[in-house]
Amino acid sequence: MGKRVQKYQPSRLFLLGRLLYRLLVVLSVLVVLLFCAYQLLRQKPGQASGPAPSAVLPSAQPSGELTPTGLERKKDTWTFLLAASDQASGNADTIMVGMYDTVNQKAGLVSIPRDTIYHGTRPDGGHYYKINSTYAYYGAKGMQEAVSELLGIPVDHYVTIDLAGFEAIVNAVDGVDFEIPVPMSYDDPTQDLHIHFQPGMTHLDGQEAMEVCRFRHNNFNEAQVAYTDVDRTRTQQEILTLIAKKVLSQPQKVGEYVEIFSEYIDTDLSLGEMLWFVEPALGFDLANLSTATLPGDGTVTYKGWTYCYQLEQEESLAIINEMINPYTTPVTLDMVNMPQK
């Protein structure tokens, strides 16, 4: 009788290795498919033509992109209106303009004080009002156009967020540590808004960060603090920068960010256009982000409107040109809409 042939039994290590190999193959296929889908979906964002200037400055040899007005734009550079509304009035509580130069990996974020004088057209036919009212009058698109005229630059897209969305994104990054600059004590029962903080480093969750960003002054029966609208916008910028740092440091939460974005944020950017920014944003260093608030006087009475913020034209132009101008040539006074008393 011949010898019985013993059937080969693969070792557990061999079986584990084969399983891991198959998983690796499947994952590789999924990665390739997702990458292909990403490449197919992403599309270059559109750009606004911008307000028509009274004088066009020609470029000898255009290297960027020409607008319908003939002004040359920096290559692959976009501008955005970032706004949040005031729940009580429907006006814009926060107004910022961001610029992102994807070629040179530079970005600027400039705040516009909410009481800034603007020469536009109100629904009742009037022609002067505080620019934050544009949001209540004409919505995000109207605000985008008004800010473009105010600054003399195209604003390509708008991104607006409500208070719940702001709180959600702060909570998603597990809060932020922020140095409270002044004693804050303010209550508005009609909005269920209660702001109470002492100066110093404080860990803020979503609701607390929202309260700090909205603070303007203490209760009128309490001692007031030196805290101007410019200080307020600086606080907002600093908290937004802290949030951005934590978002970029926690890419594993991208699914949660997308969910919050789709639920709470209104924008004219399509999904494909948003995906276009993913690749350059992954390599962005927040050290290349510059921030500022447009300077001016917040005690001006203009055309019957009290406590208006009148922009200082020359200083504001310098900030616009340094941080958010998408043109290859400087913005000049004849291109802006900054009413003066």
Side-chain angles (χ1 to χ4, degrees), residues 36-298:
C36 291
Y38 164 72
Q39 292 294 338
L40 288 172
L41 287 173
R42 71 193 295 261
Q43 62 185 81
K44 195 171 185 177
Q47 293 180 327
S49 59
S54 58
V56 173
L57 304 176
S59 175
Q61 293 183 332
S63 58
E65 298 143 345
L66 290 178
T67 69
T69 60
L71 290 170
E72 183 187 355
R73 289 190 59 145
K74 298 171 185 174
K75 182 176 175 57
D76 290 346
T77 296
W78 282 267
T79 54
F80 308 88
L81 167 69
L82 309 175
S85 63
D86 183 325
Q87 285 183 317
S89 66
N91 295 333
D93 189 55
T94 300
I95 308 169
M96 297 181 181
V97 175
M99 184 278 296
Y100 183 23
D101 179 346
T102 63
V103 175
N104 297 302
Q105 285 291 287
K106 291 183 179 180
L109 186 65
V110 173
S111 292
I112 303 171
R114 51 178 281 163
D115 293 332
T116 297
I117 308 166
Y118 175 64
H119 181 196
T121 302
R122 302 195 307 268
D124 63 5
H127 293 290
Y128 293 94
Y129 56 93
K130 298 177 181 181
I131 197 166
N132 66 326
S133 298
T134 309
Y135 194 84
Y137 294 156
Y138 303 113
K141 188 65 178 177
M143 174 67 76
Q144 177 186 359
E145 294 170 356
V147 168
S148 176
E149 292 180 3
L150 177 78
L151 306 182
I153 61 172
V155 178
D156 300 317
H157 297 282
Y158 66 80
V159 179
T160 65
I161 186 170
D162 62 22
L163 298 180
F166 179 80
E167 293 179 24
I169 196 68
V170 175
N171 287 332
V173 298
D174 304 316
V176 293
D177 295 320
F178 179 69
E179 184 83 25
I180 304 293
V182 296
M184 298 181 175
S185 181
Y186 177 78
D187 297 278
D188 184 351
T190 62
Q191 298 186 64
D192 193 24
L193 180 62
H194 305 281
I195 307 172
H196 297 282
F197 297 95
Q198 289 301 313
M201 184 60 68
T202 307
H203 183 78
L204 305 174
D205 63 18
Q207 180 174 335
E208 292 166 338
M210 176 272 293
E211 292 168 353
V212 171
C213 284
R214 296 191 66 189
F215 176 77
R216 301 187 75 184
H217 55 75
N218 284 332
N219 293 316
F220 290 110
N221 62 342
E222 298 184 34
Q224 296 304 308
V225 293
Y227 193 72
T228 66
D229 212 23
V230 172
D231 295 323
R232 181 173 182 262
T233 57
R234 186 179 299 116
T235 290
Q236 293 171 348
Q237 290 171 350
E238 290 174 359
I239 288 181
L240 284 177
T241 301
L242 290 172
I243 295 170
K245 286 180 179 178
K246 296 199 73 173
V247 166
L248 292 175
S249 69
Q250 300 176 23
Q252 73 277 9
K253 294 185 177 181
V254 64
E256 190 173 355
Y257 302 148
V258 170
E259 184 177 343
I260 292 170
F261 201 93
S262 61
E263 182 175 357
Y264 296 107
I265 292 178
D266 180 35
T267 179
D268 61 347
L269 285 162
S270 68
L271 173 61
E273 289 173 324
M274 287 186 281
L275 287 174
W276 196 91
F277 288 108
V278 170
E279 189 174 337
L282 288 175
F284 184 73
D285 184 348
L286 279 169
N288 294 325
L289 171 67
S290 55
T291 63
T293 299
L294 295 182
D297 182 353

Side-chain angles (χ1 to χ4, degrees), residues 311-339:
L311 295 179
E312 205 297 318
Q313 292 181 326
E314 294 293 344
E315 291 182 23
S316 294
L317 271 179
I319 291 173
I320 292 168
N321 283 317
E322 179 184 352
M323 297 187 184
I324 57 174
N325 180 12
Y327 293 132
T328 59
T329 50
V331 174
T332 55
L333 276 180
D334 61 322
M335 297 167 65
V336 303
N337 175 1
M338 299 181 185

Side-chain angles (χ1 to χ4, degrees), residues 14-28:
F14 176 82
L15 292 174
L16 179 61
R18 186 166 61 182
L19 177 62
L20 289 176
Y21 173 75
R22 290 176 177 175
L23 284 174
L24 183 60
V25 171
V26 171
L27 287 174
S28 298

